[in-house]
Amino acid sequence: MIQKLIRRLLNKKSAAGGQATILPLRKHGITRDRISPCALKVCEELRARRYAAFVVGGAVRDLLLGAEPKDYDVATDATPEQVRDVFRRSRIIGRRFRIVHVMCGRETIEVTTFRGQAAPAGGDEDEEDDDHRKSDSGRLLRDNVFGSQFEDAARRDFTVNALYYDPTKQEVWDYLHGMDDLKRGVMRIIGDAETRYREDPVRMLRAVRLAAKLDFKLDSATQKPIRALAGLLQDVPKSRLFDEMLKLFHSGHALASARRIREEGLHHGVLPLLDAILEQPMGERFITLALQSTDERVNAGKPVSPAFLFATLVWHEVLTRWEHYQTQDLRPLPALDAAMDDVIQTQVENLAIPRRYTAGMREIWSMQPRFLQRAGQRPFRLVESPKFRAGYDFLLLRCASGELDAQVGQWWERFQFADDEERNRMLIKDEAPARKRRRRGGKKPSAAVPAAD
Ligand code: ATP
Ligand code: MG
């Protein structure tokens, strides 16, 4: 109790630096019934115990833009332990940021205690100040001090992500002119852009991803340092980078995001291959089509498999290696194996794609030569394979990009729905290579199509 009182007093003092503009319902239009029942319950129960509790971050931003939030975050002045005590179905997670997951039914709400601001980059690395430690490049290693609500707003990434919604009073609290930026469609980083990117280079990716998702402009000071600092992404733990890329590709705006990542010069840190692939006309078409169809699936509420997605992103690298090994006198199938090994080792590990996805990627790739074997029992077996659908969708992208003759895809489209009699009539003996010529700076056409052996 005393602890809480002291913190309240401290909060008041530090909050003096920043006054929120409090917007009533008529100024923002978000009624409490638009909030997810779980987030509403979390806020109400915390309020009932006299804690502050606000929906914050992307959910408020998306609601203000008329979109359905993907997930809900709640910010409070209760400590993680206090939050844990209020909700039976909750658990404290995380080491760097201790947050509480509160579960209601299938929904999970992330509850965070208001956090203090990070120490300025290059500032004193006080031994005692262990909770604000930074690496040599200025990256925050820990950031786990409690603070006032204003400080909590100021340590968020963009002004449009630092709006708080109080469902009890139906008010929006705005400390940093986030509402103005939201109305103007501007992503503006909070504080000095370079410092904030050095603290956490992932903010550069988030800037680009969110700008693409919201169709916002990057404010010029927010955009300016990105190209020069892109290399800092190399320091970010690979698993975090992978999670961020997954979010990007699942956003429903994968194509727009990938384009903006390239425009800002950020892809060297995350997808070093992208340039090489996109320089080949067929590679560019293939990836564009893959990302387009991913966006269509996400926007239609259909699931997207990460293995499929990552298999598409590096496919043209697999193709290049596959051709290379065949010129080294390897037969097509062992050559494909060797190519997959190379790509998994060199490119995929750059992004730290977890093993559980690489197995799926291999499966999709190794199925590809089998689509060109349309005699005997082979097509019957292939169509029954549990991964047929993924392999077939991948094949269709290859046809659509011009890498393979469209008739191969059409044949499989018919075959999978035909009865046995028709299937038998469809079989193709002594299949000729169906692979189209790939033009690469005058190189001779590939011989990557394996014979039906
Ligand atoms: P999305 O629509 O992808 O969920 P989001 O902005 O909600 O976007 P989350 O990862 O859910 O993204 O983060 C929730 C909030 O936490 C953000 O809105 C922002 O206020 C804060 N935040 C997230 N990542 C960072 C970061 N790297 N630095 C500072 N604040 C961050
Ligand atoms: Mg979110």
Coordinates of all heavy atoms in Angstrom, one line a residue, residues 23 53 66 69 84 160 222 250 288 295 312 317 325 338 360-361 373 400 410 417 430 434:
L23 N -9.1 13.6 -24.9 CA -10.1 13.8 -25.9 C -11.4 13.1 -25.6 O -11.3 11.8 -25.3 CB -9.7 13.3 -27.3 CG -8.4 14.0 -27.8 CD1 -7.7 13.1 -28.9 CD2 -8.7 15.4 -28.4
A53 N -5.7 2.1 -15.9 CA -5.7 1.0 -17.0 C -6.2 1.6 -18.3 O -7.3 2.1 -18.3 CB -6.5 -0.2 -16.5
G66 N -10.4 3.1 -38.0 CA -11.6 2.3 -38.4 C -11.2 0.9 -38.8 O -12.0 0.2 -39.4
P69 N -8.4 -4.1 -34.6 CA -7.1 -4.4 -34.1 C -6.7 -5.9 -34.1 O -7.6 -6.8 -34.0 CB -7.2 -4.0 -32.6 CG -8.4 -3.1 -32.6 CD -9.3 -3.5 -33.7
R84 N -1.0 -9.8 -11.7 CA -1.1 -11.2 -11.6 C -2.1 -11.6 -10.5 O -2.9 -12.5 -10.6 CB 0.3 -11.8 -11.2 CG 0.4 -13.2 -10.9 CD 0.3 -14.1 -12.1 NE 0.1 -15.5 -11.8 CZ -1.0 -16.0 -11.4 NH1 -2.1 -15.3 -11.4 NH2 -1.1 -17.3 -11.1
V160 N 1.9 7.8 -33.2 CA 0.5 7.2 -33.4 C 0.4 5.9 -32.6 O -0.7 5.4 -32.5 CB 0.2 6.9 -34.9 CG1 0.1 8.2 -35.7 CG2 1.3 6.0 -35.5
T222 N 12.2 11.1 -39.5 CA 12.1 9.7 -39.1 C 12.7 8.8 -40.2 O 13.3 7.8 -39.9 CB 10.6 9.3 -38.9 OG1 10.0 10.2 -38.0 CG2 10.3 7.9 -38.6
H250 N 2.9 -11.4 -42.7 CA 1.5 -11.8 -42.3 C 0.6 -10.6 -42.2 O -0.6 -10.7 -41.8 CB 1.4 -12.6 -41.0 CG 1.9 -14.0 -41.2 ND1 2.3 -14.8 -40.2 CD2 2.0 -14.7 -42.3 CE1 2.7 -16.0 -40.7 NE2 2.5 -16.0 -42.0
T288 N 7.0 -11.1 -56.5 CA 5.8 -10.3 -56.5 C 4.5 -11.1 -56.4 O 3.7 -10.8 -55.6 CB 5.8 -9.4 -57.7 OG1 7.1 -8.7 -57.8 CG2 4.7 -8.4 -57.8
D295 N -0.8 -11.8 -49.5 CA -1.7 -10.7 -49.1 C -3.1 -11.0 -49.3 O -4.0 -10.8 -48.5 CB -1.3 -9.4 -49.8 CG 0.0 -8.8 -49.3 OD1 0.4 -9.2 -48.2 OD2 0.6 -7.9 -50.0
T312 N 9.2 -19.6 -51.0 CA 9.1 -18.7 -52.2 C 10.2 -17.7 -52.2 O 10.8 -17.4 -53.2 CB 7.8 -18.0 -52.3 OG1 7.6 -17.1 -51.2 CG2 6.6 -18.9 -52.4
E317 N 17.1 -18.6 -55.6 CA 18.5 -18.9 -55.2 C 18.6 -20.5 -55.3 O 19.7 -20.9 -55.7 CB 18.7 -18.4 -53.7 CG 20.1 -18.6 -53.2 CD 21.2 -17.8 -54.0 OE1 20.8 -17.0 -54.9 OE2 22.4 -18.0 -53.8
Y325 N 24.8 -27.1 -59.8 CA 25.2 -28.5 -59.5 C 25.0 -29.4 -60.7 O 25.7 -30.4 -60.9 CB 24.5 -29.0 -58.3 CG 25.2 -28.5 -57.0 CD1 24.5 -27.7 -56.1 CD2 26.5 -28.8 -56.7 CE1 25.1 -27.2 -55.0 CE2 27.1 -28.3 -55.6 CZ 26.4 -27.5 -54.7 OH 27.0 -27.0 -53.6
A338 N 21.6 -30.9 -53.1 CA 22.8 -30.1 -52.7 C 22.4 -28.6 -52.8 O 22.9 -27.9 -51.9 CB 23.9 -30.4 -53.8
G360 N 9.6 -28.0 -43.8 CA 8.5 -27.8 -44.7 C 8.9 -27.2 -46.0 O 8.4 -27.5 -47.1
M361 N 9.9 -26.3 -46.0 CA 10.4 -25.7 -47.2 C 11.1 -26.7 -48.1 O 10.8 -26.8 -49.3 CB 11.5 -24.6 -46.8 CG 10.9 -23.4 -46.1 SD 12.2 -22.4 -45.3 CE 13.0 -21.7 -46.7
Q373 N 6.8 -35.4 -63.6 CA 6.8 -36.8 -63.9 C 5.3 -37.3 -64.0 O 4.7 -37.5 -63.0 CB 7.5 -37.6 -62.8 CG 8.9 -37.1 -62.7 CD 9.7 -37.7 -61.5 OE1 9.1 -38.2 -60.5 NE2 11.0 -37.7 -61.6
A400 N 2.9 -19.1 -63.2 CA 2.5 -17.7 -63.4 C 3.6 -16.8 -63.6 O 3.5 -15.8 -64.3 CB 1.6 -17.3 -62.2
Q410 N -2.0 -26.4 -65.4 CA -3.3 -26.7 -65.9 C -3.5 -28.2 -65.8 O -4.6 -28.7 -65.4 CB -3.6 -26.2 -67.3 CG -3.7 -24.7 -67.4 CD -3.3 -24.1 -68.7 OE1 -3.1 -24.9 -69.7 NE2 -3.3 -22.8 -68.8
F417 N -8.7 -33.4 -59.9 CA -10.1 -33.5 -59.7 C -10.7 -34.6 -60.6 O -11.9 -34.8 -60.6 CB -10.8 -32.2 -60.0 CG -10.4 -31.1 -59.0 CD1 -9.7 -30.0 -59.4 CD2 -10.7 -31.3 -57.6 CE1 -9.3 -29.0 -58.4 CE2 -10.3 -30.3 -56.7 CZ -9.6 -29.2 -57.1
D430 N 7.1 -40.3 -71.7 CA 8.4 -39.7 -72.2 C 8.3 -38.2 -72.2 O 8.4 -37.5 -73.3 CB 8.7 -40.1 -73.7 CG 8.8 -41.7 -73.7 OD1 9.4 -42.2 -72.8 OD2 8.2 -42.2 -74.6
A434 N 9.7 -29.3 -69.7 CA 8.7 -28.3 -69.8 C 9.2 -27.0 -69.3 O 8.5 -26.0 -69.3 CB 7.5 -28.7 -69.0

